[in-house]
Amino acid sequence: MKKILLTGVNGQVGYALQKKLSQHQVFALNREQLDLSDKDAIRRLMQALKPDLIINPAAYTAVDKAESEPELAYTINAIAPQILAEEAAKLNAALIYFSTDYVYDGSKIADYLETDAVNPLSVYGKSKLAGEEAIRAVGLPHLILRTSWVYGAYGKNFLKTIIRLASERDSLRIVADQFGAPTSAESIADAVMELLAVWQPQQANQTGVYHFTNQGKTSWHGFSCAIVNEYNRLAVIKNEDLLKASVENIAAITTADYPTPAVRPANSTLNNRKLKQTFNVSLPNWEQGLQQVMQSLD
Ligand SMILES: NC(=O)c1ccc[n+]([C@@H]2O[C@H](COP(=O)([O-])OP(=O)(O)OC[C@H]3O[C@@H](n4cnc5c(N)ncnc54)[C@H](OP(=O)(O)O)[C@@H]3O)[C@@H](O)[C@H]2O)c1
């Protein structure tokens, strides 16, 4: 049994993790209990609680808004993890930090490996990479888990937006030239639990960066079609109304047709082989992850 400090419990990953960590002693903290923009509060809390392990899914995740709030994004995504890492090092504790596929520029055709060059295109991606670098510089035992396109039954996310839009409108227009792996918060939490059973933080060769996504790849358009298909399949079984927009009415558009403040990588599919080889842990295929989440929706 470990003494774990878990941040961001009102976020998608934090919420999913909190539900699964019951066999450990967990200090599960929301923003009111630990504001990560308050450095002194982080230090005070770490010194008072003395955890063995810090799991930090809390983050500034508003990718487009970060372009106009870079300082706040860096404070939460880079400075707060650095302070958590410094305090953890004093306690001989370990740290799990979640990072992002947006550390890559997306120009690679094949799946990204952890050894590939990073080159974030957005403030969000840069701030998360700065968090990774700060943790590495402190030098404590850590796992940096780069995940992608996170959604789940709980919280605000792309899946919820598509279901809402497809229930209100006859047709949708969705970007079809950005590729990655939609990853459910539930799959992430399951895989973290498996990791906790096998990770030996004092083994220096296990410390490092790991890709941590559901398997396979699709585009936002492909993901949207799968969401609508799965929703309607379950609606038939439950004898409920189908969505207004059918898959045939989801138009495939380009990134140029849908300009956003933050530039996103065209391909951010992450190869998870290192995770499998080091820990024998893997996340399911993204379609399987989607089915699980859809079945758990109210
Ligand atoms: N979402 C994605 O698509 C995605 C993709 C790749 C990587 N990731 C990474 O995966 C991790 C988990 O993401 P997620 O989707 O679970 O994020 P999320 O649902 O957006 O949750 C983030 C959490 O961070 C909390 N937070 C924000 N500012 C804070 C502050 N100043 N002090 C304390 N807590 C604060 C938020 O609190 P409130 O609830 O109070 O707002 C929220 O609960 C993050 O590290 C993220 O960077 C996410």
Side-chain angles (χ1 to χ4, degrees), residues 47-83:
Q47 287 160 16
L49 299 179
K50 300 188 174 28
D52 313 311
L53 173 67
I54 296 90
I55 307 182
N56 181 41
Y60 183 108
T61 55
V63 176
D64 288 315
K65 208 168 161 207
E67 296 298 310
S68 52
E69 288 187 340
E71 260 187 53
L72 187 56
Y74 272 82
T75 299
I76 310 302
N77 293 346
I79 296 171
Q82 177 182 343
I83 294 166

Side-chain angles (χ1 to χ4, degrees), residues 10-13 31 34-36 57 59 61 76 99 124 128 150:
N10 288 337
Q12 302 186 82
V13 171
R31 189 199 293 247
L34 176 60
D35 182 351
L36 290 172
T61 55
I76 310 302
S99 188
Y124 169 73
K128 295 295 295 187
V150 179

Side-chain angles (χ1 to χ4, degrees), residues 143-222:
L143 300 177
I144 292 169
L145 306 177
R146 287 186 187 148
T147 190
S148 66
W149 298 24
V150 179
Y151 70 97
Y154 176 86
K156 285 186 211 146
N157 54 57
F158 184 82
L159 171 132
K160 300 275 188 73
T161 304
I162 291 298
I163 293 174
R164 180 176 54 79
L165 292 177
S167 66
E168 292 168 359
R169 301 182 187 174
D170 297 324
S171 63
L172 305 180
R173 299 168 74 244
I174 307 290
V175 171
D177 58 358
Q178 287 170 28
F179 294 90
T183 300
S184 77
E186 288 75 9
S187 304
I188 292 175
D190 285 340
V192 168
M193 294 311 296
E194 287 182 40
L195 264 185
L196 292 185
V198 293
W199 178 32
Q200 295 178 296
Q202 298 317 325
Q203 283 213 7
N205 61 352
Q206 294 184 350
T207 275
V209 178
Y210 293 86
H211 289 167
F212 205 77
T213 63
N214 278 135
Q215 301 305 291
K217 73 188 258 188
T218 187
S219 67
W220 293 109
H221 178 265

